[in-house]
Amino acid sequence: MSEIKIAPSVFAADLGLLREQLAEMEQAGADLLHVDVMDGHFVERMAFGADHVRALRKLTRLPLDVHMMVERPENHLDSILDAGADIVTVHAEATTRLLSCMQKIHKAGARSGVVLNPATSEETIRYILDDVDMILLMTVNPGEGGQHFLPAVLDKIKCVRGMIDERPIDLEVDGSIDDKVIWSCYEAGANVFVSGGYLFKGSITENIAKLRKACE
């Protein structure tokens, strides 16, 4: 199993206190900063874009894990990569050029990743596993509020971990991740955990520590 990585989701941060919260995340040992890019089409919400990624790049040393919830991500990759993304994940459901996207991300010197919605079969990505560095499994429907963790995704995590085999691929989960469900995800095979609402309630430092401890 790869090392455990905690990825706070900046979408849940207090933008008025962003500089201070980023500093606290770094000091608390966060591993990545998860940045959701939403276009209002692939998902209902709109959030962030290349300019926001560029601004975040100036504010933090954390690697930027950019999750593109957009239609035809191939049309936006250049701007996101130029803005300073370290990891870019795109939805298998959003493009017919998935392999091309992975190759473009690698060519730019970043790490590539593919995302699957809860209802999308893991078989969708079986034949591109040698071209990805990260697989992100959504444990809620992306871009919708007020949801709860979907336990059925645990079986998918196990299946994908088996598909990965010995490949050096991170397996990330995103959606209602807290100190209660993180262990089940870790036990199933995930090693990267995106946390938003839970992590930013109260002390960021304490909540990062609780997430790590829950995996012990």
Side-chain angles (χ1 to χ4, degrees), residues 6-14 21 25 34 36 45 139-140 144-147 173-179 181 193-204 206-208 210-211:
I6 304 298
S9 175
V10 72
F11 186 68
D14 184 337
Q21 289 185 332
M25 289 179 227
H34 190 79
D36 288 321
R45 295 181 176 181
T139 54
V140 299
E144 301 176 16
Q147 298 184 80
V173 288
D174 180 7
S176 297
I177 301 299
D178 59 22
D179 61 338
V181 304
F193 305 95
V194 178
S195 184
Y198 167 81
L199 193 144
F200 286 95
K201 288 180 181 177
S203 167
I204 294 171
E206 291 179 3
N207 290 335
I208 288 177
K210 287 177 182 178
L211 290 174

Side-chain angles (χ1 to χ4, degrees), residues 149-202:
F149 177 84
L150 296 172
V153 179
L154 291 172
D155 285 338
K156 183 190 284 190
I157 297 171
K158 293 176 184 177
C159 288
V160 172
R161 174 51 64 187
M163 290 166 60
I164 289 172
D165 197 21
E166 297 299 320
R167 297 177 179 89
I169 298 174
D170 282 319
L171 181 49
E172 184 175 38
V173 288
D174 180 7
S176 297
I177 301 299
D178 59 22
D179 61 338
K180 303 298 190 297
V181 304
I182 192 172
W183 165 250
S184 297
C185 294
Y186 176 70
E187 187 179 38
N191 72 291
V192 183
F193 305 95
V194 178
S195 184
Y198 167 81
L199 193 144
F200 286 95
K201 288 180 181 177

Side-chain angles (χ1 to χ4, degrees), residues 6-210:
I6 304 298
S9 175
V10 72
F11 186 68
D14 184 337
L15 295 183
L17 298 172
L18 184 57
R19 190 181 295 273
E20 293 86 348
Q21 289 185 332
L22 287 170
E24 184 175 357
M25 289 179 227
E26 292 179 6
Q27 293 171 3
D31 300 283
L32 307 170
L33 183 65
H34 190 79
V35 185
D36 288 321
V37 175
M38 308 183 202
D39 65 357
H41 297 285
F42 182 71
V43 293
E44 295 178 358
R45 295 181 176 181
M46 295 181 66
F48 301 114
D51 289 343
H52 300 92
V53 173
R54 184 173 291 106
L56 288 167
R57 178 70 292 154
K58 296 176 181 178
L59 291 173
T60 182
R61 299 187 302 272
L62 292 172
L64 300 183
D65 171 24
V66 179
H67 174 193
M68 296 185 67
M69 289 181 266
V70 302
E71 292 181 354
R72 297 184 179 179
E74 60 270 18
N75 295 338
H76 306 280
L77 281 176
D78 286 339
S79 62
I80 293 295
L81 290 162
D82 289 345
D86 298 286
I87 307 165
V88 181
T89 57
V90 302
H91 276 262
E93 305 90 354
T95 179
T96 59
R97 300 174 59 193
L98 188 58
L99 180 57
S100 176
C101 288
M102 300 299 103
Q103 292 170 338
K104 177 177 277 193
I105 295 167
H106 279 154
K107 188 175 181 180
R111 299 181 69 214
S112 68
V114 59
V115 194
L116 297 180
N117 283 339
T120 303
S121 171
E122 61 272 13
E123 290 299 319
T124 305
I125 61 171
R126 181 177 292 278
Y127 300 104
I128 65 162
L129 289 174
D130 291 330
D131 295 280
V132 302
D133 303 299
M134 177 181 281
I135 298 168
L136 169 54
L137 300 181
M138 296 302 300
T139 54
V140 299
N141 293 312
E144 301 176 16
Q147 298 184 80
H148 299 288
F149 177 84
L150 296 172
V153 179
L154 291 172
D155 285 338
K156 183 190 284 190
I157 297 171
K158 293 176 184 177
C159 288
V160 172
R161 174 51 64 187
M163 290 166 60
I164 289 172
D165 197 21
E166 297 299 320
R167 297 177 179 89
I169 298 174
D170 282 319
L171 181 49
E172 184 175 38
V173 288
D174 180 7
S176 297
I177 301 299
D178 59 22
D179 61 338
K180 303 298 190 297
V181 304
I182 192 172
W183 165 250
S184 297
C185 294
Y186 176 70
E187 187 179 38
N191 72 291
V192 183
F193 305 95
V194 178
S195 184
Y198 167 81
L199 193 144
F200 286 95
K201 288 180 181 177
S203 167
I204 294 171
T205 300
E206 291 179 3
N207 290 335
I208 288 177
K210 287 177 182 178

